[in-house]
Amino acid sequence: MPDSPVRFEADFLAFGGTEVAIFVAVRAARCGLKTVLLSQSEHPFGSFPSLGAWETHYRGCRAPLSHEVRQKIIDYYRKTYGENSARLRECLSLEDNNPMVTFEPQVAEKVLRELMKAEPNLRVYSSCHLSKVIMDDGKLRSVVCRKGDKVLEFAATCFADCSYTGDLGARAGADFFMGRESRSRYGEPHAGQIFTNWKQGRFPQASVEGRLNLLPTWTTTDPLEGSTGEGDENIQDYSYRLCLSEDPENRLLPSMPLGYNRKHFAPLLLPVEEKAKLPLPIHHGWLTQSIEEMMGKDHLFHGHALPGRKRSWNATNFTGAGRGYPTTDGEGRLAIEVQHLNHALGLLYFLQNDSEVPGNIQCEARKWGLARDEFFENDHIPPALYVREGRRFKGAYVYREQDCLKAEGLERAPIHRDGIAFTEFALDSLPCSPERFKGSLPNGQFFEKDKSRPGSLPYRCLLPMGISNMLVPTAPSVTHCAWGTVRQTSCLLHLAEVCAFAVELSLKLGSDLADLPPLSLQKHLVKNGAMISFFNDFDMAKQETWKEAALLFGNQGFFADYDARPNEPLLKSVAEIWINKVTAVREEEPLNPNDVARMIRKAENGVGREYLKTEEFCWNLKWKRRPDLPNEVLTRGKALEILYRYLSEHSSK
């Protein structure tokens, strides 16, 4: 290696060939920061294009760049094919009332490529293989990479590890979690080794009844007999999300893959009762249904239906085969990737060619093949393995299952005072190992939709302990149980923007990322359109004068549920609590937001229905400004506006 690598300097470096790295880098560049995006892969888009869907259970706008890119995808289909085109309908109509949009991989790549190209402050370097990092006094100073026969050094003031496997943070020496924590570690009901089964119905009931602004879906049971809760190093299964086409002009039937062994797939033909006795490392759909049932439900190629007669095949999971992937070297990762690819292609080949597969099923399977117009530079195979779980770095707080369940005495999940985003997907884990117990789903699989609630994600989780100038949006301080809701596209892309805005504020204040005042960061986020608290009755798309206040005070415990109800009159008993607690917020004094929320709930459930006029509220607040319409009965939204203005004028920070 040469003694003097070519050196580049930047304000900010985003590391990782992922959609999250693209989002954080583009947002940082738009903030005026000299930004570098460093991808170890030649393909900087990660697995996002191959997913084929913007997966979310929330219908609202939560972060500006996410909303913009989602709209760009929709606009592509509208402008290219027309308002009444089948492809636009397929993009928008996954199923009734579903907020997801679907897309072809090439469309996602096009949108992301143009997004990066439009930013003059952004430089993208791909195929850069991490060699070493330079640390000094708890700070990451520079990253040294190999690119072909060249050695490049990238120095920056701030960094973000946006890789799926946490490679930069690990090289910098940050401590991390791997695998499943035990139930005893944090008291999580679904931690460690567990077995569940599917439960009939749509959940949660609050969503079904319209009281919670999330899509209702299926759920699993509580942990069943045989669930020991023991921790281990197993992680969620990985897969190649192959893009398939049923268009005869655009499908490519695969040949037999290298190392193909039909014995690996033959158990798919067994009765469900027989499969229940075997630890089969395949997608759970093949285990709990017969192959005939799979065909009858159109699940042979289970996955999102994409525009253009395509699908993102989501039934190629290879349970247990990804263990060790995050921590092994490049050669080891390549071997695991080859195993997963051969598993996916082998399954497709088996369905289409095996003599024991019933003829009608084989005929149906042969209607589908690799999409010729996708990933054509990589033999029509997604360049990125779908890595569902990697390292998770240790921070000052560990986000856990209980953070996404109802808090005691509240109609919402626990509140964190330094909340900067929210989770909204179900607590969820794909299988971690193939064992089953009395016909259950494989070990570790659960989808806790019935009990999951939108959770408040604290800024502390983005800060790996011991490194003061780096953020880790794709490997935050969360448990295995909680990671299943954090890892969803909508949440990760939200966190990407949070990281960029945090870097912008850090450089503006001359402060380390680890030392940013939470209230200052939250103000900066809401002013820039980031939704730091979940609410049922508004999102970031509409301009409302009270919205920033509701978001800010939402993290201080001013709401006992997810409803802002801005147009309702403010109860005098609630007003007294708000006025009393705004001083603690202003001075950033100790305050437990969950205790405040419980006080609010008690006041709202009280007998009295006494309300305040605007002038009386300002008088009690000891605010000298004379309000407009002083004799008007005060609404909750107007009170929030007044408190926010008061806070801005009297803030100590």
Side-chain angles (χ1 to χ4, degrees):
M1 182 180 293
D3 293 333
S4 301
V6 180
R7 183 177 170 88
F8 302 87
E9 295 187 356
D11 297 317
F12 173 59
L13 185 146
F15 178 86
T18 67
E19 71 281 12
V20 179
I22 292 173
F23 270 63
V24 70
V26 167
R27 173 53 68 195
R30 290 185 180 182
C31 290
L33 307 183
K34 186 178 179 182
T35 303
V36 166
L37 194 164
L38 201 59
S39 171
Q40 290 184 276
S41 169
E42 182 182 353
H43 179 271
F45 309 111
S47 56
F48 176 67
S50 68
L51 299 184
W54 197 293
E55 296 193 353
T56 181
H57 287 168
Y58 175 59
R59 299 175 183 86
C61 169
R62 58 188 291 166
L65 188 56
S66 292
H67 186 68
E68 175 188 333
V69 171
R70 187 176 184 271
Q71 194 60 47
K72 283 180 181 292
I73 291 171
I74 296 170
D75 288 345
Y76 170 85
Y77 285 105
R78 179 174 285 115
K79 293 175 182 177
T80 305
Y81 299 102
E83 185 67 43
N84 299 315
S85 65
R87 293 206 189 198
L88 179 60
R89 288 196 303 272
E90 290 160 349
C91 168
L92 294 173
S93 305
L94 190 64
E95 61 183 54
D96 289 344
N97 209 31
N98 195 322
M100 299 187 197
V101 297
T102 62
F103 48 79
E104 297 160 271
Q106 59 184 297
V107 174
E109 290 186 356
K110 172 183 171 61
V111 169
L112 294 179
R113 188 179 293 110
E114 291 176 352
L115 200 70
M116 292 185 287
K117 189 176 180 180
E119 298 307 322
N121 290 325
L122 174 60
R123 295 291 180 268
V124 180
Y125 297 86
S126 57
S127 301
C128 291
H129 302 285
L130 183 60
S131 297
K132 67 176 182 178
V133 300
I134 309 298
M135 299 288 296
D136 178 39
D137 194 27
K139 292 185 179 182
L140 179 56
R141 299 297 186 181
S142 64
V143 174
V144 181
C145 297
R146 291 190 330 276
K147 182 176 173 65
D149 59 356
K150 297 179 180 178
V151 178
L152 310 177
E153 182 178 2
F154 299 89
T157 306
C158 297
F159 297 80
D161 186 348
C162 305
S163 64
Y164 297 137
T165 45
D167 294 341
L168 181 60
R171 186 63 66 95
D175 290 336
F176 58 86
F177 308 97
M178 274 294 298
R180 300 186 287 184
E181 294 83 4
S182 67
R183 189 183 302 156
S184 61
R185 180 73 181 273
Y186 297 109
E188 298 172 293
H190 286 76
Q193 298 188 44
I194 65 161
F195 299 97
T196 67
N197 244 322
W198 294 117
K199 189 175 177 180
Q200 295 297 316
R202 304 287 279 180
F203 303 90
Q205 192 63 29
S207 292
V208 174
E209 296 173 356
R211 293 182 287 108
L212 185 63
N213 187 21
L214 295 177
L215 178 73
T217 64
W218 53 88
T219 194
T220 50
T221 63
D222 289 338
L224 301 172
E225 180 187 0
S227 302
T228 66
E230 294 178 4
D232 55 33
E233 294 186 358
N234 290 320
I235 54 179
Q236 295 190 54
D237 56 23
Y238 295 176
S239 64
Y240 270 98
R241 294 285 289 266
L242 301 181
C243 184
L244 304 180
S245 172
E246 65 169 341
D247 180 353
E249 301 298 319
N250 194 38
R251 70 180 178 220
L252 177 66
L253 302 185
S255 57
M256 182 187 295
L258 292 174
Y260 174 77
N261 184 347
R262 76 168 301 275
K263 292 181 179 179
H264 186 72
F265 306 103
L268 271 61
L269 304 175
L270 294 173
V272 171
E273 297 76 17
E274 292 299 314
K275 287 188 284 191
K277 302 173 184 177
L278 302 173
L280 302 175
I282 53 180
H283 186 274
H284 63 85
W286 302 105
L287 304 177
T288 58
Q289 303 172 85
S290 69
I291 195 169
E292 290 80 9
E293 288 175 312
M294 290 284 281
M295 178 175 164
K297 297 178 180 178
D298 193 21
H299 280 185
L300 289 180
F301 299 108
H302 165 71
H304 300 309
L306 312 183
R309 301 176 66 184
K310 298 174 185 176
R311 280 194 187 174
S312 171
W313 194 18
N314 193 20
T316 62
N317 303 4
F318 196 2
T319 307
R323 178 170 169 165
Y325 182 88
T327 54
T328 191
D329 58 16
E331 186 176 329
R333 286 185 183 175
L334 179 60
I336 292 172
E337 289 165 4
V338 170
Q339 289 176 347
H340 280 79
L341 179 57
N342 287 340
H343 174 78
L345 293 175
L347 176 57
L348 181 56
Y349 180 83
F350 173 80
L351 293 171
Q352 294 176 336
N353 297 280
D354 193 87
S355 60
E356 293 188 20
V357 172
N360 62 326
I361 294 176
Q362 193 174 127
C363 181
E364 181 65 26
R366 293 182 70 83
K367 293 179 181 178
W368 293 87
L370 299 176
R372 290 180 182 272
D373 62 345
E374 298 290 355
F375 308 119
F376 52 84
E377 295 179 350
N378 198 52
D379 295 327
H380 316 291
I381 301 297
L385 177 66
Y386 187 19
V387 176
R388 288 187 173 90
E389 185 173 3
R391 296 180 177 95
R392 306 182 310 278
F393 292 107
K394 297 180 181 179
Y397 182 79
V398 180
Y399 194 73
R400 59 203 72 173
E401 182 178 359
Q402 294 92 327
D403 285 305
C404 303
L405 305 175
K406 278 188 185 180
E408 183 179 356
L410 297 176
E411 287 299 310
R412 58 167 301 144
I415 306 162
H416 289 284
R417 201 174 178 189
D418 62 337
I420 40 75
F422 59 87
T423 57
E424 46 87 3
F425 210 79
L427 288 156
D428 164 39
S429 175
L430 275 289
C432 299
S433 62
E435 303 84 29
R436 301 170 69 190
F437 191 87
K438 295 183 179 180
S440 71
L441 293 168
N443 191 339
Q445 184 171 5
F446 67 89
F447 196 81
E448 200 177 353
K449 183 66 175 179
D450 56 336
K451 298 178 182 176
S452 297
R453 294 295 184 272
S456 169
L457 266 169
Y459 180 59
R460 288 163 289 168
C461 293
L462 298 178
L463 297 162
M465 296 180 70
I467 305 176
S468 63
N469 65 334
M470 184 171 73
L471 298 168
V472 287
T474 51
S477 180
V478 303
T479 64
H480 165 83
C481 280
W483 171 242
T485 183
V486 176
R487 75 175 182 87
Q488 301 301 324
T489 298
S490 57
C491 185
L492 290 182
L493 296 183
H494 188 160
L495 291 178
E497 291 198 71
V498 167
C499 289
F501 287 129
V503 170
E504 179 193 26
L505 185 62
S506 169
L507 295 177
K508 179 181 178 180
L509 298 179
S511 168
D512 276 346
L513 289 165
D515 296 329
L516 280 180
L519 189 62
S520 297
L521 176 58
Q522 289 167 331
K523 288 180 180 178
H524 190 59
L525 290 172
V526 297
K527 284 185 180 297
N528 283 283
M531 193 170 184
I532 63 174
S533 307
F534 177 88
F535 284 92
N536 282 315
D537 43 0
F538 74 92
D539 63 15
M540 304 309 290
K542 297 179 181 179
Q543 295 298 319
E544 304 285 0
T545 54
W546 45 264
K547 185 167 63 178
E548 291 181 13
L551 292 169
L552 193 71
F553 292 121
N555 283 315
Q556 310 299 325
F558 281 36
F559 303 93
D561 52 29
Y562 296 115
D563 297 316
R565 292 175 280 131
N567 298 321
E568 291 185 11
L570 179 67
L571 284 170
K572 183 176 182 180
S573 55
V574 172
E576 290 172 353
I577 299 171
W578 282 9
I579 290 171
N580 179 266
K581 298 304 178 184
V582 77
T583 302
V585 175
R586 182 190 70 194
E587 301 298 332
E588 299 194 32
E589 296 173 351
L591 177 150
N592 185 326
N594 297 290
D595 288 344
V596 176
R598 280 185 274 268
M599 293 171 64
I600 297 290
R601 188 183 187 203
K602 183 178 179 181
E604 291 178 335
N605 291 338
V607 176
R609 298 284 99 182
E610 189 176 354
Y611 304 106
L612 288 180
K613 292 183 178 180
T614 305
E615 186 173 44
E616 185 181 358
F617 182 80
C618 293
W619 177 266
N620 292 344
L621 185 61
K622 296 182 174 60
W623 196 39
K624 296 180 181 179
R625 285 180 176 267
R626 182 169 176 80
D628 299 328
L629 303 173
N631 294 317
E632 183 180 62
V633 173
L634 185 66
T635 64
R636 291 164 61 89
K638 185 64 177 179
L640 289 169
E641 286 184 60
I642 292 171
L643 290 175
Y644 193 61
R645 291 173 62 188
Y646 174 83
L647 183 66
S648 298
E649 292 179 10
H650 296 81
S651 179
S652 62
K653 295 284 185 177

